Amino acid sequence: MHSSPPSALRRACRAALLLSLAAASAGPLAAQRPAARRPAAPDPRVEAAKRALVTDIDARAKLTQEINDQIFSYGELGFQEVETSRYLVALLRREGFTVEENYAGIPTAWVATWGAGKPVIALGSDIDGIPQASQMPGLACRLPMIPGAPGHGEGHNSGQAVVVTAALAVKKLMTEQHLPGTIKIWPGVAEEQLGTKAFFTAAGLFKDVDISFFTHVSDEFSTPWGAPNEYSGLVSLLYSFEGTTAHAAGAPWRGRSALDAVELMNVGWNYRREHLRTESRSHYVVRDGGDQPNVVPATASVWYFLRELDAPRIRGMWAVADSVAQGAAMMTGTRLASVRVMGAAWPPHFNRPVAEAMAANIMRTGMPAWSNDDNAFAKSIQKEMNQPQTGLSAVARGLAAPPNESERKGGGSDDIGDVSWAVPTVQLFYPSNVPGTPGHNWADAIAMATPVAHKGATAGAKALALTIYDVLTQPQLVADAWKYYREVQTKDVKYESFVRPQDRPATELNANILGRFREQMRPFYYDATKYPDYLTQLGVRFPSMRGADGSCGVKAVP
């Protein structure tokens, strides 16, 4: 036996003494503290199933591309998504789904159902476009296919491609593994008008749903939990005034102008909103300004979006707007005929346990393998928009935590918020667009029928399918989701829709625009039986950029 050197022996004794003192000072609780657990080894069966899902979705990349490009080619606005819904309903019926159409009295709304038993999983994504956003895809400069026509200047054409691809892959695996569960697919009709999800919720679409997934196009790969910073809630209101006609030159004193009331309401609101919180946002357009200048307008209306960070403050803004409208009517001798709720969006709150599961699957999937052409195309769009030429995002973000309440500033709105208060909901942002575009703009349509959109949708379908599988096979995840929903999200907040019993979906919106442009748009519909992708049909070579002489020289060919 070898003895230790004296200095080493002293160090060993000192260390033993310190450990003994630490244990004594910790007291009996130290013995109760569990040892750190090593991460559980992956279940080989789960890993095999997830690899099978990823392989299946890769094999469905052509279908994902076709759905994406087909919906892009329709370019329909909210409540007028006739061709889009017809196409998706037919596709899902061919795949064995039972489809209920005209859901909640909305002609372009439907719910497609497959499977049986619990858990019930809802999958949704928006389908509507943006006015005056017609744009030649794949061409990094402004060139509308049809001047003045609508188009997918938000990228909603890609969401159902993500949802349907993921659902079909999961459906196949459920059949093979004899897994119980029900899949419900639904479309976000008229999201740009915030026009339907509150009505869907009121109609009971989510009453038996265990977990709700929603997808939305982005330039990043992430999922938020809690109340995200970039979201505000909203109420959409149409103020209608009634006056009296008269000859505007011959006897104007005999008339009472409803248009005067609209204009005074707008002036009054613009003065009043100086004294609202900086987190508030509001915007309006005049929907009816009379018929012709020589007739005092008997009717006029103005459409307002009022946004804030929470429901009580939104209701407070609504009350202020009502008072301004009533004052405008009094000043003009007209009548405030009605205040119609056109749509609504509660501030969303996304479920933490399911978002964490989603984030893990996002990181497992990773960003698409962007090609040099993809990045060159993205930089060309960014140059066109006078933005930093950074190209496409290369790193998946994963889980996005909410800010401190004091740091929330708000921004846009999405009526998925109403769904999030009806059932535990998560939102998947998948990378199908280019960083630096302004949103609600023709530039946001450029990439949406290109390899960038196709690759991003395939990546999104993988993350979504993997998380659906987690929900199907982990009852504890569902239990944790509802525990968070009941004990955190809704502990101190009770959902009460801004939509009142007398309100009805504004299904007449955008009918005049599609009535004007649909026949011009029809020759541009994608024909997947003849062309491998929409760019080929249009004669666009990817990537196409502004010419050296500054020209934007590709002509759209039906």
Side-chain angles (χ1 to χ4, degrees):
M1 179 181 290
H2 297 280
S3 61
S4 301
S7 59
L9 180 61
R10 285 196 297 273
R11 286 197 298 271
C13 292
R14 188 180 301 115
L17 177 62
L18 290 173
L19 286 171
S20 174
L21 291 172
S25 64
L29 289 177
Q32 301 174 17
R33 191 176 297 129
R37 291 186 298 175
R38 294 179 179 177
D43 185 326
R45 292 170 298 178
V46 171
E47 288 300 300
K50 289 194 168 185
R51 286 195 298 270
L53 282 172
V54 169
T55 299
D56 190 338
I57 289 169
D58 278 331
R60 296 178 191 269
K62 182 68 173 71
L63 174 64
T64 308
Q65 169 261 310
E66 288 182 1
I67 297 172
N68 179 93
D69 289 5
Q70 194 72 59
I71 298 174
F72 182 92
S73 74
Y74 294 142
E76 296 171 304
L77 298 177
F79 290 113
Q80 308 304 320
E81 309 99 334
V82 176
E83 300 290 353
T84 300
S85 287
R86 181 184 294 125
Y87 166 74
L88 289 167
V89 166
L91 188 160
L92 289 166
R93 281 182 172 149
R94 287 195 303 272
E95 294 291 343
F97 283 76
T98 300
V99 184
E100 178 185 356
E101 296 185 78
N102 197 38
Y103 190 81
I106 300 167
T108 55
W110 43 268
V111 179
T113 305
W114 179 87
K118 291 284 194 174
V120 179
I121 300 170
L123 309 175
S125 198
D126 300 323
I127 59 174
D128 58 329
I130 299 290
Q132 300 191 44
S134 174
Q135 168 64 27
M136 176 72 75
L139 178 61
C141 47
R142 177 57 164 151
L143 185 67
M145 288 188 282
I146 301 168
H152 276 289
E154 168 89 351
H156 286 174
N157 61 293
S158 57
Q160 287 291 334
V162 173
V163 164
V164 173
T165 302
L168 295 182
V170 170
K171 173 177 173 283
K172 179 174 181 287
L173 192 63
M174 289 174 69
T175 302
E176 293 171 350
Q177 297 190 354
H178 307 288
L179 292 175
T182 304
I183 296 173
K184 298 174 73 169
I185 301 176
W186 56 277
V189 170
E191 188 277 334
E192 299 301 347
Q193 289 75 43
L194 293 307
T196 58
K197 296 187 186 78
F199 292 101
F200 289 165
T201 301
L205 195 159
F206 304 99
K207 67 180 180 181
D208 62 344
V209 170
D210 294 290
I211 301 295
S212 164
F213 291 99
F214 191 75
T215 72
H216 198 283
V217 64
S218 180
D219 54 64
E220 64 177 32
F221 207 1
S222 67
T223 186
W225 68 269
N229 183 51
E230 63 270 18
Y231 275 115
S232 297
L234 172 152
V235 65
S236 168
L237 302 166
L238 183 70
Y239 289 89
S240 297
F241 297 87
E242 289 183 356
T244 304
T245 62
H247 195 296
W253 52 88
R254 299 182 65 177
R256 296 293 181 268
S257 173
L259 178 59
D260 286 352
V262 163
E263 292 187 311
L264 282 172
M265 178 182 180
N266 295 341
V267 170
W269 180 258
N270 285 330
Y271 276 105
R272 182 61 184 271
R273 68 175 167 183
E274 177 186 355
H275 307 288
L276 300 177
R277 294 197 333 148
T278 55
E279 292 83 358
S280 69
R281 287 170 168 80
S282 55
H283 349 273
Y284 58 82
V285 294
V286 175
R287 293 287 294 175
D288 171 18
D291 298 305
Q292 59 191 57
N294 63 338
V295 179
V296 174
T299 63
S301 61
V302 59
W303 185 10
Y304 272 76
F305 277 10
L306 306 178
R307 307 183 199 247
E308 248 286 7
L309 296 185
D310 58 49
R313 289 190 173 101
I314 294 168
R315 294 188 189 280
M317 288 182 73
W318 184 351
V320 171
D322 281 357
S323 69
V324 172
Q326 290 159 358
M330 291 176 64
M331 285 189 288
T332 55
T334 60
R335 184 174 75 91
L336 177 58
S338 65
V339 181
R340 180 184 178 186
V341 175
M342 303 282 280
W346 255 62
H349 190 114
F350 297 115
N351 191 266
R352 182 171 185 172
V354 183
E356 289 174 342
M358 174 73 82
N361 289 315
I362 288 172
M363 302 311 292
R364 175 186 180 127
T365 301
M367 292 293 282
W370 305 122
S371 69
N372 291 336
D373 282 347
D374 296 334
N375 270 303
F377 178 64
K379 290 178 181 179
S380 185
I381 296 173
Q382 291 161 345
K383 181 180 179 180
E384 190 77 13
M385 294 289 103
N386 296 314
Q387 296 295 305
Q389 296 174 48
T390 56
L392 295 163
S393 301
V395 179
R397 182 180 177 189
L399 190 67
N404 295 327
E405 187 62 29
S406 61
E407 298 172 346
R408 287 184 65 212
K409 299 302 179 185
S413 306
D414 192 318
D415 48 357
I416 192 60
D418 288 75
V419 179
S420 75
W421 289 94
V423 61
T425 299
V426 294
Q427 185 166 32
L428 168 66
F429 290 104
Y430 56 91
S432 279
N433 215 326
V434 173
T437 53
H440 292 186
N441 183 270
W442 58 268
D444 288 77
I446 295 173
M448 291 313 305
T450 71
V452 173
H454 305 152
K455 293 174 185 177
T458 292
K462 291 176 183 178
L464 178 58
L466 295 174
T467 315
I468 295 170
Y469 185 77
D470 289 338
V471 171
L472 288 168
T473 58
Q474 298 178 29
Q476 188 59 48
L477 179 57
V478 177
D480 290 346
W482 280 95
K483 180 179 175 68
Y484 178 89
Y485 174 82
R486 294 187 178 109
E487 297 182 8
V488 178
Q489 178 183 344
T490 62
K491 179 182 178 182
D492 300 315
V493 179
K494 181 181 178 182
Y495 170 73
E496 183 180 354
S497 177
F498 298 133
V499 172
R500 306 162 301 184
Q502 68 267 33
D503 294 313
R504 295 292 178 269
T507 56
E508 75 281 2
L509 287 176
N510 299 314
N512 59 334
I513 298 175
L514 269 295
R516 187 161 73 250
F517 287 107
R518 190 181 293 280
E519 291 309 309
Q520 297 178 59
M521 296 164 68
R522 198 177 300 279
F524 289 91
Y525 292 170
Y526 175 44
D527 187 346
T529 66
K530 294 182 179 180
Y531 301 97
D533 54 58
Y534 195 42
L535 294 186
T536 300
Q537 178 172 327
L538 294 173
V540 177
R541 183 175 179 179
F542 181 83
S544 290
M545 304 161 190
R546 188 179 288 279
D549 60 355
S551 63
C552 190
V554 176
K555 181 176 176 56
V557 179

